[in-house]
Amino acid sequence: MRENTDAHADRPASSSLGTVTLVGGGPGDPGLMSLAGREAIEKADVIVTDRLVPHAVLSWAAPDTEVIDVAKIPHGRFTPQEEINRLLIEAAQSGRAVVRLKGGDNFVFGRGGEELIACAEAGIPTQVVPGLSSALAVPSAAGIPLTHRGLTQGFAVVSGHVAPGDPASTVDWEALAASGLTIVILMGVRQLGSIATRLADAGLPSSTPAAVIADGTLPSQRMVRATLEDIAARADEEGIGAPAVTVIGQVAGLELR
């Protein structure tokens, strides 16, 4: 008898209800993805993926796995979240094992909560495989500790997707400026100048160390260090673009290596 080597052999028949697994792809280096995430990819019938996912991890999927790209390109191609939810639900309703693959962690600015709720409301069995968020991994890879004895006892992670003065912004920048915490900003390259100005106006010294790390954990990783006053100009001079993580606080001035 020939051994069954089909990676999909033990999956439910199409008449059965499938599943959705939210998988965090990590910060960029495929080696930083979890073993549980890799296993989910290997067993997937359908993978719904984004642009910041490490592309090498898709090679772990079976040859007949359907890969659907729903990337949201800044100021470019955009897949509405409602359409993504629909794709996940319809694929699972057809009896397939679906992986929703995001860069970083699905629940840190990844809209994983929205997708989990949508699947639950549709009666789709779901599970979550956490990913290593770039908010934690990228500063570490650059040698910047987010906490350090004698400097800071905590950190805050915020989105810089919209400018501080934008009505859509809900971040309390004044509270952050007075907190004494390390400030970690995701998706903030375009708004870095206005963010730095707002923090300085709120009382954070303009001499506060800051760093911007682009392509964190990848061979192309680059870092720019400056002060709060100069960080936006320095990042622009060096051609730093997304994806990048900004760290503001005394820890950004540490030279550990």
Side-chain angles (χ1 to χ4, degrees), residues 179-241:
S179 69
L181 302 175
T182 300
I183 303 170
V184 182
I185 304 168
L186 303 185
M187 303 175 291
V189 173
R190 291 178 60 87
Q191 305 298 340
L192 187 53
S194 60
I195 289 171
T197 298
R198 182 64 164 267
L199 289 170
D201 289 346
L204 189 63
S206 59
S207 60
T208 301
V212 182
I213 309 108
D215 293 341
T217 77
L218 297 174
S220 56
Q221 175 176 301
R222 292 192 297 150
M223 177 169 63
V224 172
R225 292 183 190 259
T227 63
L228 178 66
E229 181 178 26
D230 299 330
I231 189 61
R234 288 282 293 115
D236 186 60
E237 289 171 4
E238 295 297 325
I240 297 295

Side-chain angles (χ1 to χ4, degrees), residues 61-220:
D64 60 340
T65 297
E66 180 183 4
V67 177
I68 303 174
D69 182 0
V70 294
K72 298 176 181 179
I73 309 298
H75 309 286
R77 180 165 63 89
F78 178 83
T79 305
Q81 186 60 49
E82 293 75 16
E83 172 66 10
I84 296 173
N85 294 348
R86 184 191 66 78
L87 289 170
L88 296 175
I89 291 168
E90 289 189 356
Q93 286 176 335
S94 69
R96 294 183 285 178
V98 184
V99 163
R100 174 61 170 125
L101 185 59
K102 296 279 293 187
D105 181 89
N106 301 65
F107 285 177
V108 181
F109 303 125
R111 299 195 177 182
E114 296 177 42
E115 292 166 355
L116 194 67
I117 290 171
C119 290
E121 290 177 344
I124 303 298
T126 60
Q127 60 179 326
V128 178
V129 177
L132 184 56
S133 172
S134 61
L136 305 178
V138 169
S140 294
I144 298 177
L146 297 185
T147 62
H148 192 76
R149 186 166 57 172
L151 292 182
T152 181
Q153 297 181 356
F155 60 91
V157 180
V158 297
S159 168
H161 182 63
V162 294
D166 192 301
S169 175
T170 62
V171 177
D172 190 338
W173 296 102
E174 287 72 19
L176 286 177
S179 69
L181 302 175
T182 300
I183 303 170
V184 182
I185 304 168
L186 303 185
M187 303 175 291
V189 173
R190 291 178 60 87
Q191 305 298 340
L192 187 53
S194 60
I195 289 171
T197 298
R198 182 64 164 267
L199 289 170
D201 289 346
L204 189 63
S206 59
S207 60
T208 301
V212 182
I213 309 108
D215 293 341
T217 77
L218 297 174
S220 56

Side-chain angles (χ1 to χ4, degrees), residues 4-14 39-47 60-67 95-98:
N4 189 343
T5 58
D6 184 357
H8 295 174
D10 58 352
R11 297 182 187 170
S14 60
E39 182 179 6
I41 290 173
E42 291 173 342
K43 293 182 177 180
D45 295 307
V46 180
I47 298 175
W60 302 337
D64 60 340
T65 297
E66 180 183 4
V67 177
R96 294 183 285 178
V98 184

